[in-house]
Amino acid sequence: MTETAELIDNDFLRQFELKVENEMAIIEYSLQERKIFLTKMIIPDSIRTDEFELDFIDLVFSNIKERNISVVPTSPEIAKFVRRNRKYKRMLPVGIRI
């Protein structure tokens, strides 16, 4: 479902957006120095599946990795994703454990 959708970083609203089937999935963030705090994830029930959720978070992490900044997942769903995907633990700032 996420293959054809384009991830948008909406700087003004401080959120990543992914439009699928006329619905908008969102991950809100706060950017401070060289860290991005992922604070809230909103996925409409009509498009929510475990696979979609994982793909969406993976797209966001790939985007952040390209910018070479650290990630602080404060959203429970995103922290759970990091725990399950060790490759993203390297993106956490020094001293942060999930």
Side-chain angles (χ1 to χ4, degrees), residues 3-21:
E3 300 87 30
T4 59
E6 179 186 351
L7 182 70
I8 297 169
D9 180 3
N10 186 330
D11 291 342
F12 181 72
L13 295 176
R14 294 185 315 255
Q15 63 189 22
F16 291 101
E17 303 170 346
L18 191 66
K19 190 171 185 178
V20 177
E21 299 175 9

Side-chain angles (χ1 to χ4, degrees), residues 75-89:
S75 164
E77 302 100 332
I78 298 171
K80 185 172 143 182
F81 173 83
V82 173
R83 268 188 238 108
R84 290 183 177 172
N85 294 279
R86 294 179 139 332
K87 66 180 180 180
Y88 293 118
K89 286 190 176 186

Side-chain angles (χ1 to χ4, degrees), residues 14 29-37 67 69-70:
R14 294 185 315 255
Y29 67 82
S30 174
L31 190 59
Q32 299 174 7
E33 297 174 13
R34 297 290 301 154
K35 296 182 196 93
I36 188 165
F37 293 77
R67 295 196 258 171
I69 55 179
S70 298

Side-chain angles (χ1 to χ4, degrees), residues 28-63:
E28 296 177 355
Y29 67 82
S30 174
L31 190 59
Q32 299 174 7
E33 297 174 13
R34 297 290 301 154
K35 296 182 196 93
I36 188 165
F37 293 77
L38 302 177
T39 57
K40 187 175 184 181
M41 183 167 67
I42 303 165
I43 300 175
D45 290 336
S46 60
I47 59 173
R48 181 184 290 269
T49 64
D50 290 340
E51 181 182 355
F52 176 81
E53 189 173 312
L54 295 175
D55 288 348
F56 181 35
I57 297 171
D58 191 53
L59 277 173
V60 169
F61 270 75
S62 295
N63 180 287

